[in-house]
Amino acid sequence: PRVIFILGGPGSGKGTQSEKLVKRFGATHLSAGDLLRAEQATDSSDSQLIKSYIAEGKIVPVEITCRLLNRAMQEVAAKSPDRSQVFLIDGFPRNIENLRGWEEVVGEKAVISLVLFFDCPEEVMQQRLLERGKTSGRADDNIVSIKKRFVTFKEETIPVVQQLEVGRF
Ligand code: C5P
Ligand code: MG
């Protein structure tokens, strides 16, 4: 399988654009955030941890996120054993640890074809997230969590984007 990573700040449109890309080009869209929220909603042993990390805008330990991504990819592969499968993975890798974890868990089993980065001004992202928060029901679409997510984005995600940009992965 080939993988396209979709990165960008919170509210930059990763999910929205991924859906559009998938409609047009027919890949499989996997959102790391959606997978974490789904796992949190179950009664799994990681629920509480995921919940607090998301509310704090922190990056969940990669063992959990990679396990969920890996499982989702296996499920798709089992349904349609098409070796040319393309996965659009949105919101991953969010930090260096995410990237290292991917290399360990998935590594040679998939090819990273492309990384898309959506560059969007913070004021625009904040406005969108506050607007979304009116109806999203998400625990992190409030101003306190949004500010924390912006800090995490700048401190942890930007460095990984810079690494990917120069092809060191
Ligand atoms: O991408 P999304 O905005 O849906 O992510 C929501 C939250 O999920 C992030 O702020 C973070 O707490 C968590 N997350 C994570 N690791 C990822 C993707 C999302 O910890 N790779
Ligand atoms: Mg999203």
mmCIF file with all atom_site columns, all heavy atoms in Angstrom, residues 63-89:
data_model
loop_
_atom_site.group_PDB
_atom_site.id
_atom_site.type_symbol
_atom_site.label_atom_id
_atom_site.label_alt_id
_atom_site.label_comp_id
_atom_site.label_asym_id
_atom_site.label_entity_id
_atom_site.label_seq_id
_atom_site.pdbx_PDB_ins_code
_atom_site.Cartn_x
_atom_site.Cartn_y
_atom_site.Cartn_z
_atom_site.occupancy
_atom_site.B_iso_or_equiv
_atom_site.pdbx_formal_charge
_atom_site.auth_seq_id
_atom_site.auth_comp_id
_atom_site.auth_asym_id
_atom_site.auth_atom_id
_atom_site.pdbx_PDB_model_num
ATOM 1   N N   . GLU A 1 63 ? 2.197   4.333  20.511 1.00 0.00 ? 63 GLU A N   1
ATOM 2   C CA  . GLU A 1 63 ? 1.829   2.902  20.504 1.00 0.00 ? 63 GLU A CA  1
ATOM 3   C C   . GLU A 1 63 ? 0.325   2.770  20.245 1.00 0.00 ? 63 GLU A C   1
ATOM 4   O O   . GLU A 1 63 ? -0.110  1.903  19.491 1.00 0.00 ? 63 GLU A O   1
ATOM 5   C CB  . GLU A 1 63 ? 2.149   2.231  21.853 1.00 0.00 ? 63 GLU A CB  1
ATOM 6   C CG  . GLU A 1 63 ? 3.624   2.139  22.204 1.00 0.00 ? 63 GLU A CG  1
ATOM 7   C CD  . GLU A 1 63 ? 4.239   3.483  22.588 1.00 0.00 ? 63 GLU A CD  1
ATOM 8   O OE1 . GLU A 1 63 ? 3.517   4.319  23.178 1.00 0.00 ? 63 GLU A OE1 1
ATOM 9   O OE2 . GLU A 1 63 ? 5.417   3.716  22.264 1.00 0.00 ? 63 GLU A OE2 1
ATOM 10  N N   . ILE A 1 64 ? -0.447  3.632  20.902 1.00 0.00 ? 64 ILE A N   1
ATOM 11  C CA  . ILE A 1 64 ? -1.904  3.572  20.779 1.00 0.00 ? 64 ILE A CA  1
ATOM 12  C C   . ILE A 1 64 ? -2.326  3.981  19.365 1.00 0.00 ? 64 ILE A C   1
ATOM 13  O O   . ILE A 1 64 ? -3.049  3.254  18.674 1.00 0.00 ? 64 ILE A O   1
ATOM 14  C CB  . ILE A 1 64 ? -2.565  4.509  21.823 1.00 0.00 ? 64 ILE A CB  1
ATOM 15  C CG1 . ILE A 1 64 ? -2.247  4.018  23.237 1.00 0.00 ? 64 ILE A CG1 1
ATOM 16  C CG2 . ILE A 1 64 ? -4.076  4.593  21.585 1.00 0.00 ? 64 ILE A CG2 1
ATOM 17  C CD1 . ILE A 1 64 ? -2.749  4.943  24.348 1.00 0.00 ? 64 ILE A CD1 1
ATOM 18  N N   . THR A 1 65 ? -1.847  5.137  18.908 1.00 0.00 ? 65 THR A N   1
ATOM 19  C CA  . THR A 1 65 ? -2.270  5.667  17.608 1.00 0.00 ? 65 THR A CA  1
ATOM 20  C C   . THR A 1 65 ? -1.853  4.734  16.467 1.00 0.00 ? 65 THR A C   1
ATOM 21  O O   . THR A 1 65 ? -2.636  4.466  15.560 1.00 0.00 ? 65 THR A O   1
ATOM 22  C CB  . THR A 1 65 ? -1.660  7.073  17.400 1.00 0.00 ? 65 THR A CB  1
ATOM 23  O OG1 . THR A 1 65 ? -1.833  7.817  18.611 1.00 0.00 ? 65 THR A OG1 1
ATOM 24  C CG2 . THR A 1 65 ? -2.329  7.793  16.255 1.00 0.00 ? 65 THR A CG2 1
ATOM 25  N N   . CYS A 1 66 ? -0.639  4.224  16.545 1.00 0.00 ? 66 CYS A N   1
ATOM 26  C CA  . CYS A 1 66 ? -0.157  3.335  15.488 1.00 0.00 ? 66 CYS A CA  1
ATOM 27  C C   . CYS A 1 66 ? -0.924  2.018  15.470 1.00 0.00 ? 66 CYS A C   1
ATOM 28  O O   . CYS A 1 66 ? -1.203  1.478  14.406 1.00 0.00 ? 66 CYS A O   1
ATOM 29  C CB  . CYS A 1 66 ? 1.338   3.054  15.668 1.00 0.00 ? 66 CYS A CB  1
ATOM 30  S SG  . CYS A 1 66 ? 2.327   3.909  14.454 1.00 0.00 ? 66 CYS A SG  1
ATOM 31  N N   . ARG A 1 67 ? -1.265  1.528  16.665 1.00 0.00 ? 67 ARG A N   1
ATOM 32  C CA  . ARG A 1 67 ? -2.046  0.292  16.734 1.00 0.00 ? 67 ARG A CA  1
ATOM 33  C C   . ARG A 1 67 ? -3.399  0.494  16.042 1.00 0.00 ? 67 ARG A C   1
ATOM 34  O O   . ARG A 1 67 ? -3.848  -0.357 15.266 1.00 0.00 ? 67 ARG A O   1
ATOM 35  C CB  . ARG A 1 67 ? -2.249  -0.108 18.208 1.00 0.00 ? 67 ARG A CB  1
ATOM 36  C CG  . ARG A 1 67 ? -3.097  -1.348 18.417 1.00 0.00 ? 67 ARG A CG  1
ATOM 37  C CD  . ARG A 1 67 ? -3.030  -1.871 19.852 1.00 0.00 ? 67 ARG A CD  1
ATOM 38  N NE  . ARG A 1 67 ? -3.345  -0.877 20.869 1.00 0.00 ? 67 ARG A NE  1
ATOM 39  C CZ  . ARG A 1 67 ? -4.574  -0.438 21.156 1.00 0.00 ? 67 ARG A CZ  1
ATOM 40  N NH1 . ARG A 1 67 ? -5.610  -0.919 20.491 1.00 0.00 ? 67 ARG A NH1 1
ATOM 41  N NH2 . ARG A 1 67 ? -4.777  0.453  22.102 1.00 0.00 ? 67 ARG A NH2 1
ATOM 42  N N   . LEU A 1 68 ? -4.025  1.643  16.286 1.00 0.00 ? 68 LEU A N   1
ATOM 43  C CA  . LEU A 1 68 ? -5.329  1.930  15.675 1.00 0.00 ? 68 LEU A CA  1
ATOM 44  C C   . LEU A 1 68 ? -5.201  2.092  14.157 1.00 0.00 ? 68 LEU A C   1
ATOM 45  O O   . LEU A 1 68 ? -6.027  1.567  13.401 1.00 0.00 ? 68 LEU A O   1
ATOM 46  C CB  . LEU A 1 68 ? -5.944  3.191  16.290 1.00 0.00 ? 68 LEU A CB  1
ATOM 47  C CG  . LEU A 1 68 ? -6.258  3.113  17.797 1.00 0.00 ? 68 LEU A CG  1
ATOM 48  C CD1 . LEU A 1 68 ? -6.749  4.470  18.300 1.00 0.00 ? 68 LEU A CD1 1
ATOM 49  C CD2 . LEU A 1 68 ? -7.296  2.038  18.078 1.00 0.00 ? 68 LEU A CD2 1
ATOM 50  N N   . LEU A 1 69 ? -4.167  2.813  13.714 1.00 0.00 ? 69 LEU A N   1
ATOM 51  C CA  . LEU A 1 69 ? -3.963  3.000  12.272 1.00 0.00 ? 69 LEU A CA  1
ATOM 52  C C   . LEU A 1 69 ? -3.685  1.664  11.591 1.00 0.00 ? 69 LEU A C   1
ATOM 53  O O   . LEU A 1 69 ? -4.256  1.348  10.542 1.00 0.00 ? 69 LEU A O   1
ATOM 54  C CB  . LEU A 1 69 ? -2.790  3.956  12.020 1.00 0.00 ? 69 LEU A CB  1
ATOM 55  C CG  . LEU A 1 69 ? -3.059  5.446  12.195 1.00 0.00 ? 69 LEU A CG  1
ATOM 56  C CD1 . LEU A 1 69 ? -1.755  6.232  12.129 1.00 0.00 ? 69 LEU A CD1 1
ATOM 57  C CD2 . LEU A 1 69 ? -4.037  5.957  11.130 1.00 0.00 ? 69 LEU A CD2 1
ATOM 58  N N   . ASN A 1 70 ? -2.809  0.897  12.213 1.00 0.00 ? 70 ASN A N   1
ATOM 59  C CA  . ASN A 1 70 ? -2.428  -0.401 11.657 1.00 0.00 ? 70 ASN A CA  1
ATOM 60  C C   . ASN A 1 70 ? -3.651  -1.312 11.536 1.00 0.00 ? 70 ASN A C   1
ATOM 61  O O   . ASN A 1 70 ? -3.882  -1.930 10.495 1.00 0.00 ? 70 ASN A O   1
ATOM 62  C CB  . ASN A 1 70 ? -1.373  -1.030 12.567 1.00 0.00 ? 70 ASN A CB  1
ATOM 63  C CG  . ASN A 1 70 ? -0.494  -2.001 11.822 1.00 0.00 ? 70 ASN A CG  1
ATOM 64  O OD1 . ASN A 1 70 ? -0.255  -1.841 10.624 1.00 0.00 ? 70 ASN A OD1 1
ATOM 65  N ND2 . ASN A 1 70 ? -0.017  -3.017 12.512 1.00 0.00 ? 70 ASN A ND2 1
ATOM 66  N N   . ARG A 1 71 ? -4.466  -1.321 12.602 1.00 0.00 ? 71 ARG A N   1
ATOM 67  C CA  . ARG A 1 71 ? -5.670  -2.163 12.599 1.00 0.00 ? 71 ARG A CA  1
ATOM 68  C C   . ARG A 1 71 ? -6.631  -1.717 11.491 1.00 0.00 ? 71 ARG A C   1
ATOM 69  O O   . ARG A 1 71 ? -7.163  -2.544 10.756 1.00 0.00 ? 71 ARG A O   1
ATOM 70  C CB  . ARG A 1 71 ? -6.353  -2.086 13.972 1.00 0.00 ? 71 ARG A CB  1
ATOM 71  C CG  . ARG A 1 71 ? -7.524  -3.039 14.126 1.00 0.00 ? 71 ARG A CG  1
ATOM 72  C CD  . ARG A 1 71 ? -8.032  -3.071 15.539 1.00 0.00 ? 71 ARG A CD  1
ATOM 73  N NE  . ARG A 1 71 ? -8.732  -1.832 15.904 1.00 0.00 ? 71 ARG A NE  1
ATOM 74  C CZ  . ARG A 1 71 ? -9.056  -1.513 17.156 1.00 0.00 ? 71 ARG A CZ  1
ATOM 75  N NH1 . ARG A 1 71 ? -8.741  -2.310 18.166 1.00 0.00 ? 71 ARG A NH1 1
ATOM 76  N NH2 . ARG A 1 71 ? -9.708  -0.393 17.415 1.00 0.00 ? 71 ARG A NH2 1
ATOM 77  N N   . ALA A 1 72 ? -6.820  -0.399 11.362 1.00 0.00 ? 72 ALA A N   1
ATOM 78  C CA  . ALA A 1 72 ? -7.734  0.117  10.328 1.00 0.00 ? 72 ALA A CA  1
ATOM 79  C C   . ALA A 1 72 ? -7.233  -0.253 8.930  1.00 0.00 ? 72 ALA A C   1
ATOM 80  O O   . ALA A 1 72 ? -8.013  -0.650 8.067  1.00 0.00 ? 72 ALA A O   1
ATOM 81  C CB  . ALA A 1 72 ? -7.873  1.629  10.464 1.00 0.00 ? 72 ALA A CB  1
ATOM 82  N N   . MET A 1 73 ? -5.932  -0.160 8.721  1.00 0.00 ? 73 MET A N   1
ATOM 83  C CA  . MET A 1 73 ? -5.377  -0.506 7.400  1.00 0.00 ? 73 MET A CA  1
ATOM 84  C C   . MET A 1 73 ? -5.530  -2.004 7.116  1.00 0.00 ? 73 MET A C   1
ATOM 85  O O   . MET A 1 73 ? -5.856  -2.397 6.003  1.00 0.00 ? 73 MET A O   1
ATOM 86  C CB  . MET A 1 73 ? -3.904  -0.079 7.313  1.00 0.00 ? 73 MET A CB  1
ATOM 87  C CG  . MET A 1 73 ? -3.735  1.430  7.272  1.00 0.00 ? 73 MET A CG  1
ATOM 88  S SD  . MET A 1 73 ? -2.074  1.948  6.775  1.00 0.00 ? 73 MET A SD  1
ATOM 89  C CE  . MET A 1 73 ? -1.128  1.379  8.154  1.00 0.00 ? 73 MET A CE  1
ATOM 90  N N   . GLN A 1 74 ? -5.299  -2.824 8.142  1.00 0.00 ? 74 GLN A N   1
ATOM 91  C CA  . GLN A 1 74 ? -5.453  -4.279 7.984  1.00 0.00 ? 74 GLN A CA  1
ATOM 92  C C   . GLN A 1 74 ? -6.901  -4.627 7.634  1.00 0.00 ? 74 GLN A C   1
ATOM 93  O O   . GLN A 1 74 ? -7.147  -5.492 6.801  1.00 0.00 ? 74 GLN A O   1
ATOM 94  C CB  . GLN A 1 74 ? -5.090  -5.020 9.281  1.00 0.00 ? 74 GLN A CB  1
ATOM 95  C CG  . GLN A 1 74 ? -3.728  -4.712 9.832  1.00 0.00 ? 74 GLN A CG  1
ATOM 96  C CD  . GLN A 1 74 ? -2.642  -5.611 9.287  1.00 0.00 ? 74 GLN A CD  1
ATOM 97  O OE1 . GLN A 1 74 ? -2.904  -6.465 8.459  1.00 0.00 ? 74 GLN A OE1 1
ATOM 98  N NE2 . GLN A 1 74 ? -1.422  -5.388 9.735  1.00 0.00 ? 74 GLN A NE2 1
ATOM 99  N N   . GLU A 1 75 ? -7.840  -3.923 8.290  1.00 0.00 ? 75 GLU A N   1
ATOM 100 C CA  . GLU A 1 75 ? -9.259  -4.206 8.044  1.00 0.00 ? 75 GLU A CA  1
ATOM 101 C C   . GLU A 1 75 ? -9.617  -3.906 6.588  1.00 0.00 ? 75 GLU A C   1
ATOM 102 O O   . GLU A 1 75 ? -10.324 -4.685 5.945  1.00 0.00 ? 75 GLU A O   1
ATOM 103 C CB  . GLU A 1 75 ? -10.138 -3.370 8.986  1.00 0.00 ? 75 GLU A CB  1
ATOM 104 C CG  . GLU A 1 75 ? -10.280 -3.992 10.365 1.00 0.00 ? 75 GLU A CG  1
ATOM 105 C CD  . GLU A 1 75 ? -10.898 -3.052 11.393 1.00 0.00 ? 75 GLU A CD  1
ATOM 106 O OE1 . GLU A 1 75 ? -11.430 -1.980 11.000 1.00 0.00 ? 75 GLU A OE1 1
ATOM 107 O OE2 . GLU A 1 75 ? -10.837 -3.401 12.592 1.00 0.00 ? 75 GLU A OE2 1
ATOM 108 N N   . VAL A 1 76 ? -9.122  -2.775 6.080  1.00 0.00 ? 76 VAL A N   1
ATOM 109 C CA  . VAL A 1 76 ? -9.392  -2.410 4.691  1.00 0.00 ? 76 VAL A CA  1
ATOM 110 C C   . VAL A 1 76 ? -8.737  -3.423 3.756  1.00 0.00 ? 76 VAL A C   1
ATOM 111 O O   . VAL A 1 76 ? -9.353  -3.908 2.796  1.00 0.00 ? 76 VAL A O   1
ATOM 112 C CB  . VAL A 1 76 ? -8.874  -0.983 4.384  1.00 0.00 ? 76 VAL A CB  1
ATOM 113 C CG1 . VAL A 1 76 ? -8.992  -0.670 2.903  1.00 0.00 ? 76 VAL A CG1 1
ATOM 114 C CG2 . VAL A 1 76 ? -9.640  0.044  5.202  1.00 0.00 ? 76 VAL A CG2 1
ATOM 115 N N   . ALA A 1 77 ? -7.497  -3.780 4.069  1.00 0.00 ? 77 ALA A N   1
ATOM 116 C CA  . ALA A 1 77 ? -6.753  -4.733 3.226  1.00 0.00 ? 77 ALA A CA  1
ATOM 117 C C   . ALA A 1 77 ? -7.444  -6.097 3.198  1.00 0.00 ? 77 ALA A C   1
ATOM 118 O O   . ALA A 1 77 ? -7.478  -6.765 2.166  1.00 0.00 ? 77 ALA A O   1
ATOM 119 C CB  . ALA A 1 77 ? -5.319  -4.865 3.730  1.00 0.00 ? 77 ALA A CB  1
ATOM 120 N N   . ALA A 1 78 ? -8.022  -6.494 4.341  1.00 0.00 ? 78 ALA A N   1
ATOM 121 C CA  . ALA A 1 78 ? -8.692  -7.792 4.413  1.00 0.00 ? 78 ALA A CA  1
ATOM 122 C C   . ALA A 1 78 ? -9.948  -7.805 3.542  1.00 0.00 ? 78 ALA A C   1
ATOM 123 O O   . ALA A 1 78 ? -10.288 -8.807 2.927  1.00 0.00 ? 78 ALA A O   1
ATOM 124 C CB  . ALA A 1 78 ? -9.050  -8.106 5.863  1.00 0.00 ? 78 ALA A CB  1
ATOM 125 N N   . LYS A 1 79 ? -10.638 -6.646 3.505  1.00 0.00 ? 79 LYS A N   1
ATOM 126 C CA  . LYS A 1 79 ? -11.865 -6.555 2.715  1.00 0.00 ? 79 LYS A CA  1
ATOM 127 C C   . LYS A 1 79 ? -11.576 -6.532 1.221  1.00 0.00 ? 79 LYS A C   1
ATOM 128 O O   . LYS A 1 79 ? -12.288 -7.151 0.432  1.00 0.00 ? 79 LYS A O   1
ATOM 129 C CB  . LYS A 1 79 ? -12.656 -5.297 3.111  1.00 0.00 ? 79 LYS A CB  1
ATOM 130 C CG  . LYS A 1 79 ? -13.633 -5.562 4.247  1.00 0.00 ? 79 LYS A CG  1
ATOM 131 C CD  . LYS A 1 79 ? -14.537 -4.350 4.461  1.00 0.00 ? 79 LYS A CD  1
ATOM 132 C CE  . LYS A 1 79 ? -14.753 -4.100 5.950  1.00 0.00 ? 79 LYS A CE  1
ATOM 133 N NZ  . LYS A 1 79 ? -14.800 -2.680 6.293  1.00 0.00 ? 79 LYS A NZ  1
ATOM 134 N N   . SER A 1 80 ? -10.562 -5.756 0.842  1.00 0.00 ? 80 SER A N   1
ATOM 135 C CA  . SER A 1 80 ? -10.201 -5.688 -0.574 1.00 0.00 ? 80 SER A CA  1
ATOM 136 C C   . SER A 1 80 ? -8.690  -5.882 -0.704 1.00 0.00 ? 80 SER A C   1
ATOM 137 O O   . SER A 1 80 ? -7.924  -4.934 -0.580 1.00 0.00 ? 80 SER A O   1
ATOM 138 C CB  . SER A 1 80 ? -10.612 -4.342 -1.170 1.00 0.00 ? 80 SER A CB  1
ATOM 139 O OG  . SER A 1 80 ? -9.975  -3.302 -0.480 1.00 0.00 ? 80 SER A OG  1
ATOM 140 N N   . PRO A 1 81 ? -8.286  -7.108 -0.902 1.00 0.00 ? 81 PRO A N   1
ATOM 141 C CA  . PRO A 1 81 ? -6.849  -7.416 -0.916 1.00 0.00 ? 81 PRO A CA  1
ATOM 142 C C   . PRO A 1 81 ? -6.169  -6.864 -2.182 1.00 0.00 ? 81 PRO A C   1
ATOM 143 O O   . PRO A 1 81 ? -5.627  -7.607 -2.981 1.00 0.00 ? 81 PRO A O   1
ATOM 144 C CB  . PRO A 1 81 ? -6.798  -8.951 -0.879 1.00 0.00 ? 81 PRO A CB  1
ATOM 145 C CG  . PRO A 1 81 ? -8.200  -9.426 -0.981 1.00 0.00 ? 81 PRO A CG  1
ATOM 146 C CD  . PRO A 1 81 ? -9.104  -8.273 -1.217 1.00 0.00 ? 81 PRO A CD  1
ATOM 147 N N   . ASP A 1 82 ? -6.197  -5.541 -2.266 1.00 0.00 ? 82 ASP A N   1
ATOM 148 C CA  . ASP A 1 82 ? -5.662  -4.858 -3.434 1.00 0.00 ? 82 ASP A CA  1
ATOM 149 C C   . ASP A 1 82 ? -4.321  -4.236 -3.031 1.00 0.00 ? 82 ASP A C   1
ATOM 150 O O   . ASP A 1 82 ? -4.264  -3.293 -2.265 1.00 0.00 ? 82 ASP A O   1
ATOM 151 C CB  . ASP A 1 82 ? -6.661  -3.764 -3.855 1.00 0.00 ? 82 ASP A CB  1
ATOM 152 C CG  . ASP A 1 82 ? -6.107  -2.854 -4.939 1.00 0.00 ? 82 ASP A CG  1
ATOM 153 O OD1 . ASP A 1 82 ? -5.002  -3.134 -5.451 1.00 0.00 ? 82 ASP A OD1 1
ATOM 154 O OD2 . ASP A 1 82 ? -6.785  -1.865 -5.259 1.00 0.00 ? 82 ASP A OD2 1
ATOM 155 N N   . ARG A 1 83 ? -3.279  -4.744 -3.565 1.00 0.00 ? 83 ARG A N   1
ATOM 156 C CA  . ARG A 1 83 ? -1.947  -4.329 -3.093 1.00 0.00 ? 83 ARG A CA  1
ATOM 157 C C   . ARG A 1 83 ? -1.589  -2.902 -3.497 1.00 0.00 ? 83 ARG A C   1
ATOM 158 O O   . ARG A 1 83 ? -0.660  -2.331 -2.972 1.00 0.00 ? 83 ARG A O   1
ATOM 159 C CB  . ARG A 1 83 ? -0.886  -5.311 -3.586 1.00 0.00 ? 83 ARG A CB  1
ATOM 160 C CG  . ARG A 1 83 ? -1.000  -6.679 -2.906 1.00 0.00 ? 83 ARG A CG  1
ATOM 161 C CD  . ARG A 1 83 ? 0.112   -7.604 -3.353 1.00 0.00 ? 83 ARG A CD  1
ATOM 162 N NE  . ARG A 1 83 ? 1.426   -7.057 -3.064 1.00 0.00 ? 83 ARG A NE  1
ATOM 163 C CZ  . ARG A 1 83 ? 2.039   -7.149 -1.886 1.00 0.00 ? 83 ARG A CZ  1
ATOM 164 N NH1 . ARG A 1 83 ? 1.443   -7.773 -0.895 1.00 0.00 ? 83 ARG A NH1 1
ATOM 165 N NH2 . ARG A 1 83 ? 3.232   -6.648 -1.705 1.00 0.00 ? 83 ARG A NH2 1
ATOM 166 N N   . SER A 1 84 ? -2.374  -2.336 -4.433 1.00 0.00 ? 84 SER A N   1
ATOM 167 C CA  . SER A 1 84 ? -2.069  -0.963 -4.826 1.00 0.00 ? 84 SER A CA  1
ATOM 168 C C   . SER A 1 84 ? -2.900  0.039  -4.026 1.00 0.00 ? 84 SER A C   1
ATOM 169 O O   . SER A 1 84 ? -2.994  1.204  -4.363 1.00 0.00 ? 84 SER A O   1
ATOM 170 C CB  . SER A 1 84 ? -2.335  -0.776 -6.319 1.00 0.00 ? 84 SER A CB  1
ATOM 171 O OG  . SER A 1 84 ? -3.711  -0.942 -6.562 1.00 0.00 ? 84 SER A OG  1
ATOM 172 N N   . GLN A 1 85 ? -3.510  -0.427 -2.947 1.00 0.00 ? 85 GLN A N   1
ATOM 173 C CA  . GLN A 1 85 ? -4.324  0.415  -2.079 1.00 0.00 ? 85 GLN A CA  1
ATOM 174 C C   . GLN A 1 85 ? -3.592  1.701  -1.666 1.00 0.00 ? 85 GLN A C   1
ATOM 175 O O   . GLN A 1 85 ? -2.420  1.668  -1.322 1.00 0.00 ? 85 GLN A O   1
ATOM 176 C CB  . GLN A 1 85 ? -4.679  -0.391 -0.829 1.00 0.00 ? 85 GLN A CB  1
ATOM 177 C CG  . GLN A 1 85 ? -5.492  0.333  0.217  1.00 0.00 ? 85 GLN A CG  1
ATOM 178 C CD  . GLN A 1 85 ? -6.946  0.481  -0.194 1.00 0.00 ? 85 GLN A CD  1
ATOM 179 O OE1 . GLN A 1 85 ? -7.580  -0.467 -0.588 1.00 0.00 ? 85 GLN A OE1 1
ATOM 180 N NE2 . GLN A 1 85 ? -7.447  1.706  -0.109 1.00 0.00 ? 85 GLN A NE2 1
ATOM 181 N N   . VAL A 1 86 ? -4.323  2.809  -1.740 1.00 0.00 ? 86 VAL A N   1
ATOM 182 C CA  . VAL A 1 86 ? -3.767  4.087  -1.285 1.00 0.00 ? 86 VAL A CA  1
ATOM 183 C C   . VAL A 1 86 ? -4.533  4.554  -0.041 1.00 0.00 ? 86 VAL A C   1
ATOM 184 O O   . VAL A 1 86 ? -5.762  4.570  -0.041 1.00 0.00 ? 86 VAL A O   1
ATOM 185 C CB  . VAL A 1 86 ? -3.866  5.178  -2.376 1.00 0.00 ? 86 VAL A CB  1
ATOM 186 C CG1 . VAL A 1 86 ? -3.365  6.516  -1.840 1.00 0.00 ? 86 VAL A CG1 1
ATOM 187 C CG2 . VAL A 1 86 ? -3.085  4.762  -3.619 1.00 0.00 ? 86 VAL A CG2 1
ATOM 188 N N   . PHE A 1 87 ? -3.787  4.888  1.007  1.00 0.00 ? 87 PHE A N   1
ATOM 189 C CA  . PHE A 1 87 ? -4.392  5.402  2.237  1.00 0.00 ? 87 PHE A CA  1
ATOM 190 C C   . PHE A 1 87 ? -4.041  6.875  2.397  1.00 0.00 ? 87 PHE A C   1
ATOM 191 O O   . PHE A 1 87 ? -2.871  7.255  2.317  1.00 0.00 ? 87 PHE A O   1
ATOM 192 C CB  . PHE A 1 87 ? -3.880  4.639  3.464  1.00 0.00 ? 87 PHE A CB  1
ATOM 193 C CG  . PHE A 1 87 ? -4.356  3.220  3.538  1.00 0.00 ? 87 PHE A CG  1
ATOM 194 C CD1 . PHE A 1 87 ? -3.557  2.181  3.084  1.00 0.00 ? 87 PHE A CD1 1
ATOM 195 C CD2 . PHE A 1 87 ? -5.607  2.917  4.058  1.00 0.00 ? 87 PHE A CD2 1
ATOM 196 C CE1 . PHE A 1 87 ? -3.992  0.855  3.149  1.00 0.00 ? 87 PHE A CE1 1
ATOM 197 C CE2 . PHE A 1 87 ? -6.053  1.608  4.129  1.00 0.00 ? 87 PHE A CE2 1
ATOM 198 C CZ  . PHE A 1 87 ? -5.246  0.568  3.673  1.00 0.00 ? 87 PHE A CZ  1
ATOM 199 N N   . LEU A 1 88 ? -5.087  7.672  2.628  1.00 0.00 ? 88 LEU A N   1
ATOM 200 C CA  . LEU A 1 88 ? -4.895  9.078  2.954  1.00 0.00 ? 88 LEU A CA  1
ATOM 201 C C   . LEU A 1 88 ? -4.997  9.167  4.469  1.00 0.00 ? 88 LEU A C   1
ATOM 202 O O   . LEU A 1 88 ? -6.079  8.996  5.020  1.00 0.00 ? 88 LEU A O   1
ATOM 203 C CB  . LEU A 1 88 ? -6.047  9.863  2.338  1.00 0.00 ? 88 LEU A CB  1
ATOM 204 C CG  . LEU A 1 88 ? -5.735  11.103 1.551  1.00 0.00 ? 88 LEU A CG  1
ATOM 205 C CD1 . LEU A 1 88 ? -5.005  10.677 0.294  1.00 0.00 ? 88 LEU A CD1 1
ATOM 206 C CD2 . LEU A 1 88 ? -7.008  11.821 1.185  1.00 0.00 ? 88 LEU A CD2 1
ATOM 207 N N   . ILE A 1 89 ? -3.891  9.416  5.128  1.00 0.00 ? 89 ILE A N   1
ATOM 208 C CA  . ILE A 1 89 ? -3.912  9.427  6.592  1.00 0.00 ? 89 ILE A CA  1
ATOM 209 C C   . ILE A 1 89 ? -3.817  10.863 7.089  1.00 0.00 ? 89 ILE A C   1
ATOM 210 O O   . ILE A 1 89 ? -2.799  11.526 6.905  1.00 0.00 ? 89 ILE A O   1
ATOM 211 C CB  . ILE A 1 89 ? -2.777  8.554  7.161  1.00 0.00 ? 89 ILE A CB  1
ATOM 212 C CG1 . ILE A 1 89 ? -2.954  7.117  6.635  1.00 0.00 ? 89 ILE A CG1 1
ATOM 213 C CG2 . ILE A 1 89 ? -2.796  8.594  8.683  1.00 0.00 ? 89 ILE A CG2 1
ATOM 214 C CD1 . ILE A 1 89 ? -2.004  6.109  7.236  1.00 0.00 ? 89 ILE A CD1 1
#
